[in-house]
Amino acid sequence: MTALPTLLVLDAEPPPRLGRLTGRARVVHTDEAGLAGRLPEADVLLVWDFASHAVRTAWPGAGPRPGWVHTASAGVDHLLCPELAASDTVVTNARGIFDAPIAEYVAALVLAMAKDLPRTWELQRERVWRHRESRRVAGTRAVVVGSGPIGREVARTLKALGVTAAVVGRVPRTGIHGPGDLDRLLARADWVIVAAPLTEETRGMFDLRRFGVMQPSACFVNVGRGQLVVEDALVRALERRWIAGAALDVLTSEPLAADSPLWRVPGLLVSPHMSGDTVGWRDELGAQFVEFFERWAAGRPLRNVVDKQRGYVPGH
């Protein structure tokens, strides 16, 4: 009798629903503390706790390592370490689950900032009747940094609102601008949306110089990774009114500490890394993994295979 493959799950609450794998896999659950000791027995690792960096610490240890690692997230920066990147282990991600929800969230932020909705809510709480004029969204320009599925979906959604959206990617191609066009596009953009993966090339790409390139009426939105932005530079840009406003759904340190000055920066909207998390999203992540597991068990090619040197899934 053939032994069942061992599936190791780095858990988070609530745990994934893997009932369809009953009798098809030996499922072992672990927390961060137990991960290193369990890795040698695993054929597959499911990183359900996508906020954890435990894989980066545990992977370099002794013993066999899983041949396949799947993370229930779009980004893979939290688990890629040099040893994993250099190994034969296949890494896959949850590409496809978050595209539309994040695009909707970005559109909501753009509309909220254009129509000054946060201030309207504040004035209502203060019982102050203050008439203001708001901005039109149709006819404005956006630059979306990140040409993956999320960035392209953001551009499509903004175009439905009448926004002219240019997408910037790592490599220029049809319909996608290259990094060399970024500063020129920033200087003309009303909305700057960041949806890029975190790599050594993108880390800290939005610094004081880049915020200085933007026009004073521009608003900045980050739904990629917190480390793409030099937060002190963003604070300075907002305080000096180099730009009109900003929204951060991802931050360098999460959760954001209660005493962080970011809570009080004028014109900055902070949300707790929730742009892709709609009702039922965990079930979608679990179903996607089960589908991938069935492909793996049948010897079929996996989807969403990450280029471990680049740090993302290549191609369209």
Side-chain angles (χ1 to χ4, degrees), residues 173-291:
R173 54 191 186 274
T174 303
I176 305 295
H177 294 268
D181 292 333
L182 179 56
D183 285 355
R184 174 179 61 81
L185 293 168
L186 288 177
R188 304 170 61 194
D190 300 290
W191 314 101
V192 178
I193 317 297
V194 186
L198 177 62
T199 67
E200 288 309 308
E201 290 75 24
T202 61
R203 186 183 300 274
M205 67 182 300
F206 281 92
D207 54 11
L208 203 61
R209 187 190 71 79
R210 282 257 159 78
F211 289 119
V213 169
M214 298 179 199
Q215 54 185 353
S217 60
C219 290
F220 177 82
V221 176
N222 186 15
V223 291
R225 283 289 183 267
Q227 293 84 352
L228 301 175
V229 178
V230 179
E231 289 175 351
D232 288 346
L234 174 60
V235 170
R236 185 175 177 184
L238 287 167
E239 290 178 342
R240 297 189 175 191
R241 298 185 180 179
W242 291 359
I243 60 175
L248 300 178
D249 186 55
V250 287
L251 297 113
T252 300
S253 179
E254 297 181 9
L256 187 63
D259 60 352
S260 170
L262 291 176
W263 293 113
R264 300 181 297 276
V265 177
L268 177 60
L269 178 63
V270 173
S271 57
H273 204 151
M274 58 181 284
S275 60
D277 302 348
T278 53
V279 175
W281 66 287
R282 290 185 178 87
D283 290 341
E284 292 184 46
L285 288 171
Q288 182 189 58
F289 173 74
V290 170
E291 177 194 342

Side-chain angles (χ1 to χ4, degrees), residues 8-12 28-38 49 52 54 58:
L8 180 62
V9 181
L10 178 58
D11 263 337
V28 178
H29 295 265
T30 186
D31 57 12
E32 291 185 338
L35 179 62
R38 291 286 195 176
D49 185 358
S52 170

Side-chain angles (χ1 to χ4, degrees), residues 285-306:
L285 288 171
Q288 182 189 58
F289 173 74
V290 170
E291 177 194 342
F292 285 11
F293 187 92
E294 290 171 343
R295 295 180 66 90
W296 174 82
R300 299 164 61 194
L302 285 167
R303 294 172 178 156
N304 292 5
V305 175
V306 173

Side-chain angles (χ1 to χ4, degrees), residues 26-27 54 86 93 104 114 135 143 156 187 190 207 218 226 274 302:
R26 172 177 170 259
V27 181
N93 72 353
E104 292 174 357
R135 300 173 62 182
V143 55
R156 281 192 291 269
D190 300 290
D207 54 11
M274 58 181 284
L302 285 167

